[in-house]
Amino acid sequence: QVQLVESGGGSVQAGGSLRLSCAASGRTFSTYGWFRQAPGKEREFVGAALWSTSSDYADSVKGRFSITRSYTKNTVYLQMNSLKPEDTALYYCGGAEHLSRVVKDYDYWGQGTQVTVSS
């Protein structure tokens, strides 16, 4: 059974940092993507990494967020620095077989972890 489990969300003040984790079991994906969804909005792309060779980030987070992988733990991390109130959302991790910004390209999803940034 394939599972993706996110953790690490919480409440921080603007300018703070958080590190989200996505632990995968049952399968290793070549690509892990992070997406977020705020209330009343569609799920939007945050960033994705293909193995450790390529990565892609939304303009809104470029330079502030970064994705790393631990192959021994089959876990992907989203390091979020200089957080802003507009980063507040439910963050999801997805698994795919190629680098993509498109939600439907991701075959599996976790349940999400909430990030709240106060001003």
Side-chain angles (χ1 to χ4, degrees):
Q1 182 181 0
V2 178
Q3 277 192 316
L4 299 175
V5 179
E6 302 98 334
S7 61
S11 297
V12 294
Q13 289 192 324
S17 299
L18 281 175
R19 189 179 78 157
L20 307 184
S21 300
C22 172
S25 60
R27 180 174 168 180
T28 298
F29 294 92
S30 62
T31 294
Y32 290 92
W34 286 95
F35 290 72
R36 64 190 182 187
Q37 189 166 16
K41 295 188 175 182
E42 293 187 353
R43 191 171 298 192
E44 67 171 3
F45 172 77
V46 173
L50 168 66
W51 297 118
S52 296
T53 56
S54 300
S55 60
D56 183 26
Y57 297 93
D59 288 346
S60 59
V61 307
K62 201 169 292 183
R64 300 188 297 123
F65 292 11
S66 62
I67 297 173
T68 57
R69 293 178 68 157
S70 167
Y71 292 97
T72 56
K73 296 181 180 180
N74 205 12
T75 299
V76 180
Y77 304 96
L78 178 67
Q79 178 65 44
M80 305 186 296
N81 299 325
S82 302
L83 282 161
K84 304 175 181 180
E86 51 263 44
D87 294 320
T88 295
L90 189 60
Y91 282 71
Y92 295 91
C93 131
E97 291 307 323
H98 63 275
L99 199 61
S100 174
R101 295 186 170 207
V102 179
V103 170
K104 67 178 183 178
D105 287 339
Y106 289 77
D107 300 318
Y108 291 89
W109 294 92
Q111 80 291 347
T113 185
Q114 179 67 38
V115 171
T116 302
V117 184
S118 57
S119 57

